[in-house]
Amino acid sequence: MSSSKPKTIQTMKPATAAKKLGVLLSATPAEFQAGVVSRDELNELQSRPPAWLVDLRRNGPHPKQVIAAKLRISISGLIRGGITGPLTTAEIDALKAENPAWLERERSVQAETRKEALRLKQRDS
């Protein structure tokens, strides 16, 4: 006879959950930062985000991976450009409008990297 184990609930640290949600942990509510997040809670936050999460995603402050994606550059490119901390959506939009030389350069580096990755993928298939 087989005995079935009780299902254990998979949990994660708030930092991991924040990263998966694409938000900065320090900008989340204190109760989110203080507890653990179950897989079901994460799924619920993703499918039906509360007002605080919607606001954070819309206005920031945003973590590096989100800033890099919005600027269409790599995280390394952000650092080379001198961006080391979180930015709000307004600050990201201002950077896009200003379009400094380092941002143009990093975008072209990123475009070349993507082109090369695609070429290698096509070669291997």
Side-chain angles (χ1 to χ4, degrees):
M1 294 189 122
S2 65
S3 62
S4 61
K5 290 183 180 178
K7 186 178 178 185
T8 58
I9 297 174
Q10 184 181 12
T11 60
M12 63 194 81
K13 294 177 182 175
T16 304
K19 188 171 185 175
K20 289 179 182 284
L21 292 169
V23 296
L24 197 63
L25 177 63
S26 61
T28 62
E31 60 271 9
F32 180 86
Q33 294 178 38
V36 294
V37 180
S38 72
R39 175 64 64 187
D40 291 339
E41 289 169 331
L42 180 68
N43 291 340
E44 181 72 17
L45 287 169
Q46 288 174 324
S47 64
R48 287 194 287 277
W52 64 264
L53 182 55
V54 171
D55 185 54
L56 271 179
R57 286 177 168 168
R58 183 183 311 119
N59 302 316
H62 302 288
K64 289 183 291 197
Q65 70 269 18
V66 173
I67 298 168
K70 287 179 178 277
L71 293 175
R72 297 186 334 263
I73 63 174
S74 67
I75 292 174
S76 299
L78 271 181
I79 294 166
R80 285 190 295 268
I83 307 294
T84 56
L87 296 178
T88 63
T89 300
E91 291 168 325
I92 294 169
D93 290 344
L95 254 178
K96 286 179 180 177
E98 183 186 325
N99 200 23
W102 70 265
L103 182 56
E104 279 189 48
R105 186 174 54 254
E106 291 301 334
R107 281 182 173 163
S108 67
V109 166
Q110 187 71 357
E112 286 300 315
T113 302
R114 286 186 183 128
K115 194 186 306 180
E116 180 65 9
L118 181 61
R119 183 187 70 78
L120 292 173
K121 184 178 178 183
Q122 288 173 339
R123 185 189 76 182
D124 291 343
S125 7

